[in-house]
Amino acid sequence: MASWRHLSRTIVMQTFFEKLARRCDLKEVFAYNLKEYGKQIEEPQFAEALLDKMEQSQSEIEKIIQKHAPEWPLDKMDPVERVILTLSICELIHPSDDVPVNVVINEGIELAKTYGDEKSGKFINGVLNAVAHDKSVKKNS
């Protein structure tokens, strides 16, 4: 069974995807998704904080994506991959003390394998590894 943090990330990813696809209210969709699918989440504030950071850092994250995946303009990028990168890069630039970089990358790859196509995992892995090793990417606590 997946951990409650993995489930949190899945709900955050799906919520952010819906916001981008339908331009709906992020908090409203998150509340619904958490109520419907997040009963096993031990600390819902983890998911809520991650979603807030994604929203607040979206333009910064998009610049990082463009830098590390220049051959894929955001409007041409697979929307699922774009949201997974947004989520994972958010965790890389706003790290939690108890979530190592390799866990963030592995979570992104697992989400890509589950929700993307057969090439998504490799693409996500390549971009996230590049971001994680980029010394110019500002990492906040």
Side-chain angles (χ1 to χ4, degrees):
M1 174 180 277
S3 75
W4 66 266
R5 284 197 177 184
H6 180 77
L7 180 58
S8 295
R9 289 180 181 99
T10 301
I11 288 172
V12 167
M13 181 202 72
Q14 291 171 333
T15 299
F16 207 79
F17 178 87
E18 192 167 349
K19 175 203 173 225
L20 294 178
R22 295 186 341 157
R23 302 189 198 293
C24 52
D25 182 82
L26 189 66
K27 296 294 183 185
E28 189 177 298
V29 173
F30 176 69
Y32 174 82
N33 287 342
L34 194 61
K35 180 181 174 200
E36 289 297 312
Y37 309 110
K39 293 173 179 53
Q40 299 164 331
I41 295 176
E42 295 172 15
E43 295 178 29
Q45 56 275 27
F46 171 81
E48 186 171 10
L50 182 55
L51 188 63
D52 288 343
K53 288 176 189 173
M54 283 175 68
E55 185 175 38
Q56 293 166 4
S57 304
Q58 186 175 359
S59 63
E60 177 187 2
I61 292 168
E62 287 175 351
K63 288 176 188 167
I64 294 169
I65 293 171
Q66 290 172 331
K67 177 180 178 183
H68 293 284
E71 66 283 358
W72 291 103
L74 292 175
D75 61 336
K76 303 283 190 232
M77 187 178 287
D78 178 283
V80 171
E81 291 174 353
R82 180 178 172 184
V83 172
I84 293 168
L85 286 173
T86 302
L87 168 75
S88 300
I89 291 170
C90 182
E91 283 198 89
L92 290 174
I93 65 173
H94 300 287
S96 297
D97 291 337
D98 61 339
V99 182
V101 169
N102 64 328
V103 170
V104 171
I105 294 171
N106 285 339
E107 284 287 325
I109 294 167
E110 289 305 313
L111 288 170
K113 287 179 180 178
T114 303
Y115 296 100
D117 64 26
E118 66 277 349
K119 297 177 185 174
S120 294
K122 288 181 182 180
F123 175 68
I124 297 296
N125 183 32
V127 175
L128 293 180
N129 271 303
V131 172
H133 291 93
D134 184 346
K135 304 267 190 244
S136 70
V137 173
K138 187 173 85 175
K139 284 137 176 117
N140 305 318
S141 319

mmCIF file of all heavy atoms in Angstrom, residues 69-102:
data_model
loop_
_atom_site.group_PDB
_atom_site.id
_atom_site.type_symbol
_atom_site.label_atom_id
_atom_site.label_comp_id
_atom_site.label_asym_id
_atom_site.label_seq_id
_atom_site.Cartn_x
_atom_site.Cartn_y
_atom_site.Cartn_z
ATOM 1 N N ALA A 69 14.355 21.634 -19.644
ATOM 2 C CA ALA A 69 13.681 20.904 -20.727
ATOM 3 C C ALA A 69 13.380 21.888 -21.857
ATOM 4 O O ALA A 69 12.224 22.083 -22.240
ATOM 5 C CB ALA A 69 12.410 20.245 -20.209
ATOM 6 N N PRO A 70 14.422 22.527 -22.402
ATOM 7 C CA PRO A 70 14.213 23.596 -23.375
ATOM 8 C C PRO A 70 13.548 23.135 -24.675
ATOM 9 O O PRO A 70 12.915 23.932 -25.368
ATOM 10 C CB PRO A 70 15.622 24.128 -23.640
ATOM 11 C CG PRO A 70 16.527 23.002 -23.286
ATOM 12 C CD PRO A 70 15.833 22.269 -22.171
ATOM 13 N N GLU A 71 13.685 21.860 -24.995
ATOM 14 C CA GLU A 71 13.076 21.345 -26.216
ATOM 15 C C GLU A 71 11.568 21.106 -26.070
ATOM 16 O O GLU A 71 10.898 20.763 -27.027
ATOM 17 C CB GLU A 71 13.781 20.060 -26.675
ATOM 18 C CG GLU A 71 13.632 18.880 -25.742
ATOM 19 C CD GLU A 71 14.518 18.927 -24.493
ATOM 20 O OE1 GLU A 71 15.316 19.858 -24.305
ATOM 21 O OE2 GLU A 71 14.391 17.995 -23.668
ATOM 22 N N TRP A 72 11.054 21.311 -24.861
ATOM 23 C CA TRP A 72 9.628 21.119 -24.592
ATOM 24 C C TRP A 72 9.020 22.394 -24.013
ATOM 25 O O TRP A 72 8.970 22.557 -22.797
ATOM 26 C CB TRP A 72 9.420 19.964 -23.602
ATOM 27 C CG TRP A 72 9.767 18.646 -24.202
ATOM 28 C CD1 TRP A 72 10.898 17.920 -23.990
ATOM 29 C CD2 TRP A 72 8.986 17.911 -25.141
ATOM 30 N NE1 TRP A 72 10.869 16.785 -24.738
ATOM 31 C CE2 TRP A 72 9.700 16.743 -25.457
ATOM 32 C CE3 TRP A 72 7.742 18.127 -25.746
ATOM 33 C CZ2 TRP A 72 9.224 15.798 -26.351
ATOM 34 C CZ3 TRP A 72 7.281 17.180 -26.639
ATOM 35 C CH2 TRP A 72 8.013 16.028 -26.930
ATOM 36 N N PRO A 73 8.545 23.298 -24.872
ATOM 37 C CA PRO A 73 7.860 24.490 -24.348
ATOM 38 C C PRO A 73 6.665 24.052 -23.485
ATOM 39 O O PRO A 73 6.035 23.027 -23.758
ATOM 40 C CB PRO A 73 7.379 25.213 -25.610
ATOM 41 C CG PRO A 73 8.183 24.640 -26.727
ATOM 42 C CD PRO A 73 8.580 23.255 -26.327
ATOM 43 N N LEU A 74 6.392 24.818 -22.452
ATOM 44 C CA LEU A 74 5.336 24.430 -21.509
ATOM 45 C C LEU A 74 4.005 24.165 -22.195
ATOM 46 O O LEU A 74 3.298 23.220 -21.836
ATOM 47 C CB LEU A 74 5.166 25.499 -20.433
ATOM 48 C CG LEU A 74 6.348 25.635 -19.467
ATOM 49 C CD1 LEU A 74 6.125 26.808 -18.535
ATOM 50 C CD2 LEU A 74 6.572 24.356 -18.690
ATOM 51 N N ASP A 75 3.651 24.978 -23.186
ATOM 52 C CA ASP A 75 2.358 24.786 -23.846
ATOM 53 C C ASP A 75 2.340 23.563 -24.760
ATOM 54 O O ASP A 75 1.274 23.110 -25.170
ATOM 55 C CB ASP A 75 1.942 26.040 -24.616
ATOM 56 C CG ASP A 75 2.922 26.424 -25.712
ATOM 57 O OD1 ASP A 75 4.112 26.054 -25.622
ATOM 58 O OD2 ASP A 75 2.489 27.102 -26.660
ATOM 59 N N LYS A 76 3.501 22.994 -25.055
ATOM 60 C CA LYS A 76 3.585 21.777 -25.878
ATOM 61 C C LYS A 76 3.850 20.531 -25.039
ATOM 62 O O LYS A 76 3.746 19.415 -25.517
ATOM 63 C CB LYS A 76 4.705 21.908 -26.913
ATOM 64 C CG LYS A 76 4.574 23.098 -27.819
ATOM 65 C CD LYS A 76 3.543 22.851 -28.880
ATOM 66 C CE LYS A 76 3.619 23.950 -29.914
ATOM 67 N NZ LYS A 76 2.363 24.577 -30.188
ATOM 68 N N MET A 77 4.205 20.738 -23.777
ATOM 69 C CA MET A 77 4.534 19.632 -22.882
ATOM 70 C C MET A 77 3.266 18.878 -22.487
ATOM 71 O O MET A 77 2.204 19.473 -22.331
ATOM 72 C CB MET A 77 5.223 20.183 -21.627
ATOM 73 C CG MET A 77 5.761 19.112 -20.692
ATOM 74 S SD MET A 77 6.612 19.837 -19.264
ATOM 75 C CE MET A 77 8.092 20.415 -20.057
ATOM 76 N N ASP A 78 3.407 17.586 -22.334
ATOM 77 C CA ASP A 78 2.296 16.777 -21.848
ATOM 78 C C ASP A 78 1.830 17.365 -20.513
ATOM 79 O O ASP A 78 2.645 17.578 -19.615
ATOM 80 C CB ASP A 78 2.768 15.328 -21.653
ATOM 81 C CG ASP A 78 1.688 14.433 -21.107
ATOM 82 O OD1 ASP A 78 1.426 14.518 -19.886
ATOM 83 O OD2 ASP A 78 1.122 13.645 -21.871
ATOM 84 N N PRO A 79 0.540 17.660 -20.371
ATOM 85 C CA PRO A 79 0.070 18.320 -19.140
ATOM 86 C C PRO A 79 0.308 17.508 -17.865
ATOM 87 O O PRO A 79 0.568 18.085 -16.811
ATOM 88 C CB PRO A 79 -1.424 18.534 -19.374
ATOM 89 C CG PRO A 79 -1.720 18.108 -20.748
ATOM 90 C CD PRO A 79 -0.507 17.485 -21.350
ATOM 91 N N VAL A 80 0.247 16.200 -17.962
ATOM 92 C CA VAL A 80 0.499 15.365 -16.787
ATOM 93 C C VAL A 80 1.962 15.486 -16.379
ATOM 94 O O VAL A 80 2.271 15.680 -15.197
ATOM 95 C CB VAL A 80 0.115 13.890 -17.062
ATOM 96 C CG1 VAL A 80 0.584 12.980 -15.933
ATOM 97 C CG2 VAL A 80 -1.385 13.759 -17.272
ATOM 98 N N GLU A 81 2.855 15.413 -17.340
ATOM 99 C CA GLU A 81 4.283 15.550 -17.044
ATOM 100 C C GLU A 81 4.584 16.937 -16.487
ATOM 101 O O GLU A 81 5.381 17.081 -15.559
ATOM 102 C CB GLU A 81 5.115 15.286 -18.298
ATOM 103 C CG GLU A 81 5.064 13.839 -18.734
ATOM 104 C CD GLU A 81 5.754 13.571 -20.059
ATOM 105 O OE1 GLU A 81 6.174 14.530 -20.742
ATOM 106 O OE2 GLU A 81 5.863 12.382 -20.416
ATOM 107 N N ARG A 82 3.940 17.944 -17.034
ATOM 108 C CA ARG A 82 4.145 19.318 -16.564
ATOM 109 C C ARG A 82 3.750 19.457 -15.092
ATOM 110 O O ARG A 82 4.470 20.056 -14.290
ATOM 111 C CB ARG A 82 3.322 20.266 -17.429
ATOM 112 C CG ARG A 82 3.450 21.703 -17.030
ATOM 113 C CD ARG A 82 2.645 22.572 -17.966
ATOM 114 N NE ARG A 82 2.599 23.945 -17.492
ATOM 115 C CZ ARG A 82 1.913 24.887 -18.078
ATOM 116 N NH1 ARG A 82 1.219 24.639 -19.166
ATOM 117 N NH2 ARG A 82 1.918 26.106 -17.582
ATOM 118 N N VAL A 83 2.632 18.874 -14.713
ATOM 119 C CA VAL A 83 2.177 18.970 -13.325
ATOM 120 C C VAL A 83 3.077 18.146 -12.407
ATOM 121 O O VAL A 83 3.406 18.585 -11.302
ATOM 122 C CB VAL A 83 0.693 18.550 -13.195
ATOM 123 C CG1 VAL A 83 0.275 18.449 -11.741
ATOM 124 C CG2 VAL A 83 -0.198 19.543 -13.936
ATOM 125 N N ILE A 84 3.507 16.987 -12.853
ATOM 126 C CA ILE A 84 4.420 16.170 -12.037
ATOM 127 C C ILE A 84 5.735 16.914 -11.830
ATOM 128 O O ILE A 84 6.279 16.932 -10.716
ATOM 129 C CB ILE A 84 4.650 14.779 -12.670
ATOM 130 C CG1 ILE A 84 3.345 13.966 -12.623
ATOM 131 C CG2 ILE A 84 5.775 14.037 -11.954
ATOM 132 C CD1 ILE A 84 3.366 12.701 -13.461
ATOM 133 N N LEU A 85 6.250 17.544 -12.874
ATOM 134 C CA LEU A 85 7.472 18.337 -12.720
ATOM 135 C C LEU A 85 7.247 19.514 -11.778
ATOM 136 O O LEU A 85 8.107 19.804 -10.933
ATOM 137 C CB LEU A 85 7.957 18.842 -14.081
ATOM 138 C CG LEU A 85 8.611 17.804 -14.981
ATOM 139 C CD1 LEU A 85 8.886 18.399 -16.358
ATOM 140 C CD2 LEU A 85 9.892 17.277 -14.349
ATOM 141 N N THR A 86 6.113 20.172 -11.899
ATOM 142 C CA THR A 86 5.808 21.295 -11.011
ATOM 143 C C THR A 86 5.802 20.844 -9.560
ATOM 144 O O THR A 86 6.414 21.474 -8.692
ATOM 145 C CB THR A 86 4.462 21.936 -11.391
ATOM 146 O OG1 THR A 86 4.510 22.358 -12.754
ATOM 147 C CG2 THR A 86 4.145 23.125 -10.501
ATOM 148 N N LEU A 87 5.137 19.748 -9.290
ATOM 149 C CA LEU A 87 5.064 19.191 -7.935
ATOM 150 C C LEU A 87 6.454 18.826 -7.423
ATOM 151 O O LEU A 87 6.862 19.241 -6.329
ATOM 152 C CB LEU A 87 4.161 17.954 -7.938
ATOM 153 C CG LEU A 87 4.172 17.078 -6.701
ATOM 154 C CD1 LEU A 87 3.408 17.754 -5.577
ATOM 155 C CD2 LEU A 87 3.567 15.727 -7.005
ATOM 156 N N SER A 88 7.199 18.080 -8.206
ATOM 157 C CA SER A 88 8.499 17.578 -7.757
ATOM 158 C C SER A 88 9.523 18.702 -7.615
ATOM 159 O O SER A 88 10.289 18.726 -6.643
ATOM 160 C CB SER A 88 9.013 16.520 -8.730
ATOM 161 O OG SER A 88 8.103 15.434 -8.801
ATOM 162 N N ILE A 89 9.539 19.626 -8.565
ATOM 163 C CA ILE A 89 10.481 20.744 -8.464
ATOM 164 C C ILE A 89 10.123 21.610 -7.272
ATOM 165 O O ILE A 89 11.014 22.114 -6.580
ATOM 166 C CB ILE A 89 10.526 21.544 -9.783
ATOM 167 C CG1 ILE A 89 11.176 20.686 -10.871
ATOM 168 C CG2 ILE A 89 11.276 22.855 -9.598
ATOM 169 C CD1 ILE A 89 11.081 21.257 -12.273
ATOM 170 N N CYS A 90 8.851 21.742 -6.990
ATOM 171 C CA CYS A 90 8.440 22.482 -5.796
ATOM 172 C C CYS A 90 9.051 21.851 -4.546
ATOM 173 O O CYS A 90 9.579 22.551 -3.683
ATOM 174 C CB CYS A 90 6.913 22.508 -5.697
ATOM 175 S SG CYS A 90 6.313 23.441 -4.277
ATOM 176 N N GLU A 91 9.016 20.541 -4.479
ATOM 177 C CA GLU A 91 9.612 19.870 -3.318
ATOM 178 C C GLU A 91 11.140 19.997 -3.306
ATOM 179 O O GLU A 91 11.749 19.988 -2.237
ATOM 180 C CB GLU A 91 9.213 18.393 -3.273
ATOM 181 C CG GLU A 91 7.800 18.189 -2.777
ATOM 182 C CD GLU A 91 7.555 16.775 -2.329
ATOM 183 O OE1 GLU A 91 7.795 16.472 -1.136
ATOM 184 O OE2 GLU A 91 7.132 15.965 -3.175
ATOM 185 N N LEU A 92 11.743 20.115 -4.475
ATOM 186 C CA LEU A 92 13.195 20.285 -4.523
ATOM 187 C C LEU A 92 13.615 21.692 -4.099
ATOM 188 O O LEU A 92 14.636 21.855 -3.433
ATOM 189 C CB LEU A 92 13.727 19.992 -5.928
ATOM 190 C CG LEU A 92 13.678 18.541 -6.383
ATOM 191 C CD1 LEU A 92 14.102 18.431 -7.847
ATOM 192 C CD2 LEU A 92 14.549 17.660 -5.503
ATOM 193 N N ILE A 93 12.840 22.704 -4.470
ATOM 194 C CA ILE A 93 13.240 24.077 -4.125
ATOM 195 C C ILE A 93 12.701 24.520 -2.769
ATOM 196 O O ILE A 93 13.147 25.524 -2.229
ATOM 197 C CB ILE A 93 12.878 25.095 -5.227
ATOM 198 C CG1 ILE A 93 11.373 25.227 -5.409
ATOM 199 C CG2 ILE A 93 13.575 24.738 -6.535
ATOM 200 C CD1 ILE A 93 10.953 26.335 -6.373
ATOM 201 N N HIS A 94 11.739 23.783 -2.240
ATOM 202 C CA HIS A 94 11.201 24.030 -0.892
ATOM 203 C C HIS A 94 11.298 22.711 -0.112
ATOM 204 O O HIS A 94 10.283 22.098 0.195
ATOM 205 C CB HIS A 94 9.740 24.489 -0.954
ATOM 206 C CG HIS A 94 9.527 25.753 -1.718
ATOM 207 N ND1 HIS A 94 9.895 26.976 -1.221
ATOM 208 C CD2 HIS A 94 8.987 25.975 -2.935
ATOM 209 C CE1 HIS A 94 9.585 27.908 -2.104
ATOM 210 N NE2 HIS A 94 9.042 27.329 -3.165
ATOM 211 N N PRO A 95 12.513 22.279 0.180
ATOM 212 C CA PRO A 95 12.679 20.943 0.766
ATOM 213 C C PRO A 95 12.159 20.843 2.200
ATOM 214 O O PRO A 95 12.210 21.796 2.964
ATOM 215 C CB PRO A 95 14.192 20.725 0.724
ATOM 216 C CG PRO A 95 14.781 22.091 0.692
ATOM 217 C CD PRO A 95 13.784 22.972 -0.004
ATOM 218 N N SER A 96 11.661 19.649 2.500
ATOM 219 C CA SER A 96 11.311 19.303 3.878
ATOM 220 C C SER A 96 12.521 18.616 4.485
ATOM 221 O O SER A 96 13.228 17.881 3.789
ATOM 222 C CB SER A 96 10.126 18.330 3.912
ATOM 223 O OG SER A 96 8.982 18.932 3.378
ATOM 224 N N ASP A 97 12.733 18.831 5.755
ATOM 225 C CA ASP A 97 13.884 18.228 6.423
ATOM 226 C C ASP A 97 13.852 16.705 6.369
ATOM 227 O O ASP A 97 14.889 16.063 6.342
ATOM 228 C CB ASP A 97 13.952 18.670 7.884
ATOM 229 C CG ASP A 97 14.302 20.141 8.023
ATOM 230 O OD1 ASP A 97 14.899 20.712 7.083
ATOM 231 O OD2 ASP A 97 13.964 20.729 9.067
ATOM 232 N N ASP A 98 12.655 16.136 6.351
ATOM 233 C CA ASP A 98 12.545 14.686 6.424
ATOM 234 C C ASP A 98 12.256 14.022 5.077
ATOM 235 O O ASP A 98 11.928 12.846 5.021
ATOM 236 C CB ASP A 98 11.484 14.293 7.449
ATOM 237 C CG ASP A 98 10.101 14.810 7.103
ATOM 238 O OD1 ASP A 98 9.993 15.774 6.322
ATOM 239 O OD2 ASP A 98 9.118 14.248 7.616
ATOM 240 N N VAL A 99 12.388 14.760 3.952
ATOM 241 C CA VAL A 99 12.174 14.176 2.631
ATOM 242 C C VAL A 99 13.443 14.375 1.798
ATOM 243 O O VAL A 99 13.691 15.461 1.279
ATOM 244 C CB VAL A 99 10.953 14.810 1.908
ATOM 245 C CG1 VAL A 99 10.734 14.142 0.562
ATOM 246 C CG2 VAL A 99 9.693 14.710 2.761
ATOM 247 N N PRO A 100 14.253 13.327 1.680
ATOM 248 C CA PRO A 100 15.493 13.432 0.913
ATOM 249 C C PRO A 100 15.227 13.664 -0.581
ATOM 250 O O PRO A 100 14.166 13.302 -1.102
ATOM 251 C CB PRO A 100 16.168 12.076 1.126
ATOM 252 C CG PRO A 100 15.441 11.417 2.237
ATOM 253 C CD PRO A 100 14.084 12.023 2.298
ATOM 254 N N VAL A 101 16.209 14.232 -1.254
ATOM 255 C CA VAL A 101 16.105 14.526 -2.684
ATOM 256 C C VAL A 101 15.765 13.269 -3.478
ATOM 257 O O VAL A 101 14.918 13.303 -4.373
ATOM 258 C CB VAL A 101 17.416 15.171 -3.195
ATOM 259 C CG1 VAL A 101 17.444 15.253 -4.705
ATOM 260 C CG2 VAL A 101 17.602 16.548 -2.578
ATOM 261 N N ASN A 102 16.419 12.155 -3.169
ATOM 262 C CA ASN A 102 16.156 10.927 -3.933
ATOM 263 C C ASN A 102 14.710 10.454 -3.774
ATOM 264 O O ASN A 102 14.141 9.876 -4.701
ATOM 265 C CB ASN A 102 17.152 9.819 -3.586
ATOM 266 C CG ASN A 102 17.068 9.360 -2.156
ATOM 267 O OD1 ASN A 102 16.757 10.138 -1.248
ATOM 268 N ND2 ASN A 102 17.376 8.093 -1.929
#
